[in-house]
Amino acid sequence: MKNIAIFASGTGSNAQKIIDHFRNSAIARVSMILCNKPGAGVFQIAEKEGIPSVLIEKESFFHTDNYITILKEAGIDLIVLAGFLWKVPANLVQAFPDTIINIHPALLPKYGGKGMYGHFVHEAVITARETESGITIHYVNEKYDDGATILQERCIITPDDTPLTLAGKIQLLEHKWYPLIVERLLTK
Ligand SMILES: Nc1nc2c(c(=O)[nH]1)N[C@@H](CN(C=O)c1ccc(C(=O)N[C@@H](CCC(=O)O)C(=O)O)cc1)CN2
Ligand SMILES: NCC(=O)N[C@@H]1O[C@H](COP(=O)([O-])[O-])[C@@H](O)[C@H]1O
C-alpha cells in the first residue's frame, strides 16, 4: 500500500477526486493532507474523509526540515501538489527526488511561473486570445513550473469562452487525469 500526501491551499476538488479514486484501493491511499491556509476547504474534506491534516506554518516550512521529518515518518511515497500556492523549498524537493508532482492549469511552458495560479492563468490565456489551453502534470523541482512534464491534455477555447468557462473546462481535465497519473506513477 503506497502512501500519498496531498498539498493544497484551497477548495480541494482535486484532492477529493484523488481520494475518491483510491477509495477501497489496494494500491494506495491518501494518508495525509497538508495545507497552508487556515479554513481552506481542503481541511473540511480531510475531516469528512478521516484523513490526518497538517496546517503548514510558514517559518517552519521555509527554514526547517520539520515537514520533511513528518513526511518521512509517515512513509510518504508520493507528494501531490493540488492547488498549493507556495514554492516548495529546495530541501523538501531534494529530500523527495522525482517524488513530488504538480498540476498546472495551462500548457507549460506558457502561462507558468510566479503569479500564474488559479484565475490569473485563465485570464492571461483568454486575454492572449489563445485557441486552446489545457493542463500540465509535471515533476516538481526548485523552480516554479519548471520540472519534467509527465502529461499534457488540451481543450479548445471558443470565442465565447470567459476565464470562468475556461476554468470549468480545465477542471474537467484535471479531475479526469490527475488521479490516473497518480496511479500510473505508483504502479510503474
Ligand atoms: N518548487 C516548486 N514549488 C511549487 C511548484 C513548482 O513547480 N515548484 N508549483 C506550484 C504550483 N503553481 C503552479 O502550478 C504555482 C503556485 C503559486 C504561484 C505563486 O505565484 N504563488 C505566490 C503566492 C500566492 C499565495 O501565497 O497565495 C508567490 O509565490 O508569490 C506560482 C505557481 C506549487 N509550488
Ligand atoms: N499554478 C497552480 C494552480 O493554479 N493550481 C490550480 O489550482 C486549482 C486548485 O483547485 P482545487 O483546490 O479545487 O483542487 C487547480 O485548478 C490547479 O490547477
Side-chain angles (χ1 to χ4, degrees), residues 20-36:
D20 293 344
H21 183 84
F22 290 100
R23 199 179 303 280
N24 306 317
S25 169
I27 297 168
R29 65 188 170 191
V30 176
S31 50
M32 185 179 293
I33 292 175
L34 302 93
C35 179
N36 61 327

Side-chain angles (χ1 to χ4, degrees), residues 5-72:
I6 296 178
F7 281 58
S9 298
T11 310
S13 74
N14 278 284
Q16 184 67 69
K17 293 299 181 182
I18 293 167
I19 293 164
D20 293 344
H21 183 84
F22 290 100
R23 199 179 303 280
N24 306 317
S25 169
I27 297 168
R29 65 188 170 191
V30 176
S31 50
M32 185 179 293
I33 292 175
L34 302 93
C35 179
N36 61 327
K37 304 276 186 181
V42 75
F43 280 119
Q44 280 69 50
I45 292 173
E47 183 177 11
K48 168 174 66 81
E49 297 288 350
I51 297 171
S53 62
V54 174
L55 175 62
I56 299 171
E57 194 280 317
K58 194 164 193 174
E59 282 305 306
S60 179
F61 186 63
F62 289 109
H63 300 295
T64 75
D65 288 345
N66 292 348
Y67 294 97
I68 295 171
T69 303
I70 289 169
L71 293 160
K72 292 289 186 183

Side-chain angles (χ1 to χ4, degrees), residues 31-147:
S31 50
M32 185 179 293
I33 292 175
L34 302 93
C35 179
N36 61 327
K37 304 276 186 181
V42 75
F43 280 119
Q44 280 69 50
I45 292 173
E47 183 177 11
K48 168 174 66 81
E49 297 288 350
I51 297 171
S53 62
V54 174
L55 175 62
I56 299 171
E57 194 280 317
K58 194 164 193 174
E59 282 305 306
S60 179
F61 186 63
F62 289 109
H63 300 295
T64 75
D65 288 345
N66 292 348
Y67 294 97
I68 295 171
T69 303
I70 289 169
L71 293 160
K72 292 289 186 183
E73 287 181 350
I76 296 301
D77 299 288
L78 184 67
I79 296 171
V80 177
L81 309 185
F84 187 62
L85 299 184
W86 285 353
K87 184 179 286 186
V88 175
N91 64 328
L92 181 49
V93 172
Q94 289 156 15
F96 287 90
D98 298 325
T99 313
I100 309 175
I101 64 172
N102 179 58
I103 191 163
H104 183 73
L107 297 171
L108 294 173
K110 295 178 76 175
Y111 307 107
K114 186 177 176 69
M116 295 310 286
Y117 58 93
H119 67 90
F120 297 113
V121 176
H122 309 309
E123 287 165 6
V125 168
I126 294 292
T127 299
R129 298 179 183 275
E130 298 284 358
T131 56
E132 67 173 9
S133 188
I135 61 169
T136 303
I137 299 172
H138 64 92
Y139 286 104
V140 167
N141 64 20
E142 286 85 352
K143 300 177 184 175
Y144 272 143
D145 305 327
D146 183 60

Side-chain angles (χ1 to χ4, degrees), residues 147-162:
T149 295
I150 300 167
L151 176 82
Q152 287 191 316
E153 288 292 332
R154 296 165 187 275
C155 63
I156 299 300
I157 299 175
T158 57
D160 60 330
D161 266 320
T162 66

